[in-house]
DNA sequence: TTAGAATTCAAGTATTCTATTGAATAATGT
DNA sequence: ACATTATTCAATAGAATACTTGAATTCTAA
């Protein structure tokens, strides 16, 4: 009965279409940037549009797409609608996608070096070492992401120093101690910019390449 | 200097385009089926086309696409060209994609139940229990995938009983013992079909839902 | 009822995709 | 060198999708 065989084929096709559907949702740079931002903190459409430099209508469209693929959830909050990642599995998927991309394509390095052009000016510090030095108290750790993201969860012991208003608050940084800065992770320039500012003032600095999510994945402690 | 800001934006866009590029490579059902097949064993274009029921030209096109995204590698082998997954990270990515899809979309269950319609007729056995019973020697484990895949690596202790020529070889199965069958993993019908054949002969049977890759991920032993 | 947030709609453009051809390439065996 | 085989390339056609924008609409809170 060739019919039942055709039928089986169709069913298999159907199954694979679901997987492809998620693949499609991940096939647009803007959507990936949205996913990345949502990895840091839940946000409203307005906020996402602002941070990602997109029109609100466009942002909404892309969010709809992600929502349809069940990668994000939305929740009404008064007059706003706040989006969040549907699940930690989505963050893992995004992380695997980055890992594969980075490993497979040397061009990514180049693109990253272009984007984070001061990357190699700063010493890097590992998560393990940072944790050690935090315990010793011989280092200041600052989170330079916007306050929303800090509020949604940050490395335990980190101070919030959003890049945006860092210039005005430089004096409130504990003096003398070396400063470690972190932001969203390896694809984020905020910490680089903060460190540039600080070295200009003669501070000793280092960057933690990882972000909050990686910190938590590694089994270290967060606060919120 | 607004120019340098525009520039940064462009660079960020470039970066995210690389990720999106991999996403695109994963956005077509046929390509995903190819990836899935390559998870089991390296294969030539011809073989892949046959198993996936696609034209050779088309299969080649899709493989080019995957190759361009560096998800697969090709290697000339005499007159054939054999494709393989570029890296185990690709298998992990594929596995995360399936995990998210399955978790996020209830429809996948339905599609799977339609495709594997005899799924619930057979008892399932966990990897841990199977390993135990293999050690006790009170069960026969058969690998019902095509021989190429068995040759590329199989669960240690499994006998090769490709579904295709199973009917003729039924007698060479050790009698009396219960039979456990496995194939490519949870999205593969081969084992179900084999078990249907065996219960028809009055054998006691069970299915291992996982495939070789999952077995190995779990830290168990393979042979090749 | 009004204002603000978010979504939907319509529209247009652009792009991309798949599947197909037939020719070209590369390795093999004679 | 030649014929053979497997695969890729180039070119195409047509369909289908995708992205973005601005205007209209829905929904909520006050």
């Amino acid at each position: 009965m060739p019919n039942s065989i055709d039928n089986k084929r169709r069913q298999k096709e159907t199954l694979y279409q679901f997987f492809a559907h998620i693949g499609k949702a991940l096939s647009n740079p803007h959507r990936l940037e949205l996913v990345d931002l949502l990895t840091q903190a839940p946000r409203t459409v307005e906020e996402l549009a602002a941070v990602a430099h997109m029109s609100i209508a466009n942002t909404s469209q892309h969010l709809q797409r992600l929502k349809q693929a069940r990668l994000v959830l939305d929740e009404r909050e008064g007059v706003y609608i706040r989006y969040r990642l549907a699940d930690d599995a989505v963050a893992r998927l995004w992380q695997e996608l980055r890992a594969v991309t980075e490993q497979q394509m040397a061009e990514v390095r180049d693109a990253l070096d272009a984007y984070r052009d001061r990357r190699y000016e700063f010493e890097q510090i590992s998560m393990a070492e940072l944790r050690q030095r935090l315990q010793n108290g011989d280092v200041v750790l600052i989170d330079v992401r916007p306050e929303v993201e800090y509020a949604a969860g940050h490395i335990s012991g980190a101070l919030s120093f959003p890049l945006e208003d860092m210039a005005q608050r430089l004096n409130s940084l504990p003096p003398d101690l070396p400063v470690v800065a972190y932001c969203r992770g390896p694809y984020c320039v905020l910490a680089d910019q903060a460190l540039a500012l600080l070295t200009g003032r003669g501070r000793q600095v280092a960057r933690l390449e990882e972000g909050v999510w990686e910190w938590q994945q590694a089994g270290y402690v967060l606060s919120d």
Side-chain angles (χ1 to χ4, degrees), chain A:
Chain A
M1 25 172 155
N3 236 352
S4 111
I5 288 186
D6 282 7
N7 205 27
K8 272 276 161 264
R9 258 209 256 317
R10 242 197 318 283
Q11 289 166 338
K12 196 210 283 183
E13 178 96 354
T14 309
L15 193 52
Y16 277 90
Q17 260 159 6
F18 282 110
F19 304 129
H21 193 243
I22 303 281
K24 270 196 186 140
L26 299 174
S27 71
N28 175 283
H30 288 312
R31 281 197 293 274
L32 290 178
E33 186 172 359
L34 293 176
V35 168
D36 190 47
L37 288 170
L38 292 175
T39 294
Q40 303 299 316
R43 297 180 192 258
T44 66
V45 179
E46 226 187 4
E47 291 170 349
L48 286 168
V51 183
H53 305 286
M54 302 165 57
S55 79
I56 289 193
N58 198 196
T59 305
S60 175
Q61 298 272 52
H62 282 301
L63 285 169
Q64 287 311 306
R65 198 82 191 280
L66 289 171
K67 177 178 162 187
Q68 196 200 345
R70 316 283 172 83
L71 297 179
V72 306
L73 302 174
D74 60 343
E75 198 180 3
R76 181 132 228 152
E77 210 171 80
V79 82
Y80 294 95
I81 291 182
R82 195 171 297 274
Y83 281 87
R84 68 183 69 251
L85 284 198
D87 194 289
D88 201 53
V90 178
R92 277 201 301 279
L93 178 56
W94 167 229
Q95 129 90 17
E96 283 292 347
L97 181 60
R98 285 184 307 173
V100 167
T101 310
E102 202 174 338
Q103 189 163 22
Q104 256 56 36
M105 317 189 72
E107 303 92 309
V108 178
R109 285 284 149 72
D110 302 340
L112 186 56
D113 286 348
Y115 181 46
R116 285 188 45 199
D117 53 0
R118 321 197 52 167
R119 188 179 186 192
Y120 297 111
E121 291 177 24
F122 313 111
E123 196 187 327
Q124 296 185 2
I125 185 171
S126 71
M127 293 194 284
E129 188 186 346
L130 173 59
R131 183 163 150 282
Q132 189 52 250
R133 297 191 60 180
L134 277 176
Q135 282 179 341
N136 298 346
D138 61 0
V139 76
V140 184
L141 177 62
I142 61 176
D143 181 326
V144 303
R145 298 173 302 160
E147 245 161 308
V148 227
E149 305 186 18
Y150 179 86
H154 54 266
I155 294 181
S156 195
L159 306 174
S160 177
F161 265 80
L163 182 62
E164 305 137 28
D165 39 44
M166 189 161 191
Q168 299 104 58
R169 297 187 44 207
L170 274 180
N171 303 330
S172 56
L173 250 188
D176 305 328
L177 285 180
V179 180
V180 173
Y182 75 92
C183 48
R184 293 172 186 141
Y187 301 105
C188 174
V189 280
L190 297 178
D192 289 350
Q193 292 169 1
L195 293 182
L197 227 124
L198 288 169
T199 45
R201 302 292 180 109
R203 302 287 301 234
Q204 208 199 321
V205 302
R207 158 143 188 175
L208 177 73
E209 292 276 312
E210 287 85 1
V212 168
W213 191 78
E214 291 89 344
W215 182 266
Q216 176 204 280
Q217 284 293 105
Y220 296 136
V221 188
L222 298 188
S223 311
D224 16 45

